[in-house]
Amino acid sequence: MKFRTFIEALEYYDTQAIRFKNHFILRNWLAGIGCGLIAVILFSTLVAFHAYLPPLWAGVVLPTAEVLLVAGSFVLLGYSASRAKLRFLQHRHWAEYLRVRTLFTENGLPLITTPLNYKEGMRATDKIHFKIPSELRELEKSYVPVPTHVYNLFEIKQSLITFINSQQKYHTEIRIEGYEEKEHRLEFWLKVILYVFGGVVVAKYAFEWMEYTHSPFIHEHLYLLKATKFLVIFLPPLYAALEGIYYFSEWKRNIRISQKVHERYENVRVKIEESQDPAQLQEAAKSLYRLFMGEHIDWLNWYQNKKVEAKV
């Protein structure tokens, strides 16, 4: 695909990255987890309420549905999600690469030609997936930087600082505050499930003791024993699924990273503000490029090596 400008290429890859992310998260990952949980619900129902189910449902419908749901979960998490994840990471990588290049070209700054420093943890085959497309390389070759003697230092500084502000806002509002809220919410529900499970285990023991002692109460309310059996089977997988989401997200780690990156952007801001000539400004811009792309490559490497199907 041919692009006339960097901003046109950025808009294309950014849009595609969002599309693949929604496909990966909403259609595959959550659907895979959902299929697994529904399968557990059916299994729990079959075990706890077997005596109340019609023979066709107990012997054919529910077992068949369980098998299909488990198979669907494996396909969604192990195959479809992985493919969509790779496509998402590719387009997000190219979009972020273009984001900082668009900043440079809009201000007439020379492009950084230093090779991207992928982490050693990323396999060679994975690095191939993230090679910059040839059409973007051609776009770079056609770009001619503005001569330094016509630089408007004030305008370039303002543009670079505006970019830094947007990145700091992203890390503060989207990542740090957003992740803290998600983390607290999920931790709350994990505690609720844990306490409920403890109560259910105690209740199940009490009901079973009543059944053993032939208590009239439990014989009149046998559904209570069945319900506790259902919950004892269902709650642990539910807890494990939420733990899987917690594991995959690693909110604490990402919050710490964003806090450090926010500070580093502040240091780069100072370098830009203190630049007195084009050479100093170009050096400060290089620092901004290295920080932005270094942060992105770290994220890319972490996300690529995170296997959701290994946990859920």
Side-chain angles (χ1 to χ4, degrees):
M1 185 173 182
K2 293 290 184 180
F3 301 104
R4 291 171 296 178
T5 63
F6 282 92
I7 189 66
E8 180 184 342
L10 169 60
E11 290 175 352
Y12 170 78
Y13 284 113
D14 193 48
T15 301
Q16 291 298 309
I18 294 172
R19 184 173 72 86
F20 280 112
K21 181 179 181 181
N22 290 337
H23 182 75
F24 165 54
I25 297 294
L26 298 179
R27 294 188 183 181
N28 291 308
W29 188 40
L30 293 180
I33 294 175
C35 284
L37 287 177
I38 294 173
V40 172
I41 291 174
L42 295 182
F43 175 75
S44 305
T45 302
L46 189 60
V47 172
F49 300 101
H50 187 276
Y52 299 92
L53 296 172
L56 179 63
W57 281 79
V60 179
V61 176
L62 291 186
T64 302
E66 285 176 39
V67 172
L68 293 176
L69 286 167
V70 171
S73 181
F74 273 105
V75 170
L76 287 167
L77 293 176
Y79 177 73
S80 298
S82 297
R83 287 174 59 87
K85 171 186 168 184
L86 176 60
R87 297 293 288 164
F88 158 64
L89 291 177
Q90 285 175 327
H91 287 80
R92 175 49 59 206
H93 174 51
W94 298 329
E96 297 310 302
Y97 176 82
L98 285 163
R99 194 178 308 282
V100 71
R101 260 153 163 65
T102 300
L103 174 69
F104 275 52
T105 56
E106 287 181 342
N107 290 281
L109 295 168
L111 296 177
I112 310 297
T113 57
T114 306
L116 298 177
N117 183 25
Y118 293 98
K119 291 288 185 179
E120 292 300 322
M122 184 177 286
R123 300 184 300 272
T125 52
D126 293 331
K127 294 179 184 179
I128 294 174
H129 292 311
F130 300 105
K131 287 183 65 176
I132 304 304
S134 58
E135 57 266 27
L136 299 186
R137 292 300 188 193
E138 292 298 322
L139 194 60
E140 290 177 349
K141 291 178 182 178
S142 65
Y143 169 69
V144 179
V146 174
T148 56
H149 69 273
V150 297
Y151 274 12
N152 186 322
L153 292 183
F154 177 78
E155 289 186 359
I156 296 176
K157 283 183 180 182
Q158 289 302 113
S159 179
L160 297 179
I161 290 173
T162 299
F163 182 84
I164 289 175
N165 290 340
S166 67
Q167 290 303 306
Q168 288 182 316
K169 182 178 180 181
Y170 165 74
H171 281 281
T172 301
E173 297 182 4
I174 304 299
R175 287 176 64 89
I176 296 175
E177 295 178 2
Y179 289 162
E180 284 177 345
E181 181 181 352
K182 291 177 181 178
E183 182 182 40
H184 293 157
R185 187 187 307 127
L186 188 53
E187 286 177 345
F188 168 78
W189 284 111
L190 286 172
K191 288 180 181 178
V192 168
I193 293 172
L194 194 61
Y195 292 142
V196 169
F197 181 73
V200 168
V201 169
V202 173
K204 181 175 179 293
Y205 174 80
F207 294 149
E208 287 177 340
W209 177 257
M210 290 180 186
E211 185 181 37
Y212 176 75
T213 57
H214 304 288
S215 169
F217 173 82
I218 196 61
H219 287 288
E220 294 174 2
H221 303 85
L222 193 59
Y223 65 89
L224 293 175
L225 178 58
K226 303 297 184 183
T228 55
K229 287 182 178 179
F230 171 86
L231 291 173
V232 164
I233 298 171
F234 172 67
L235 289 178
L238 176 61
Y239 187 92
L242 294 179
E243 274 282 10
I245 296 173
Y246 193 88
Y247 154 84
F248 187 74
S249 302
E250 286 197 17
W251 289 313
K252 279 188 171 65
R253 172 187 179 276
N254 288 320
I255 288 171
R256 289 195 301 269
I257 290 174
S258 287
Q259 289 170 340
K260 292 178 181 178
V261 170
H262 189 282
E263 294 176 4
R264 291 170 185 165
Y265 272 119
E266 199 60 37
N267 295 333
V268 174
R269 179 203 300 274
V270 173
K271 291 182 66 174
I272 292 172
E273 291 174 344
E274 293 178 350
S275 300
Q276 300 297 323
D277 56 57
Q280 290 181 344
L281 186 58
Q282 285 185 4
E283 191 59 35
K286 288 181 181 179
S287 298
L288 176 58
Y289 172 85
R290 287 192 290 266
L291 173 57
F292 180 83
M293 288 307 300
E295 171 214 343
H296 169 66
I297 294 297
D298 285 344
W299 171 85
L300 179 68
N301 185 66
W302 168 78
Y303 212 121
Q304 171 66 2
N305 290 311
K306 182 68 71 173
K307 305 295 183 184
V308 64
E309 60 272 17
K311 183 70 177 178
V312 178

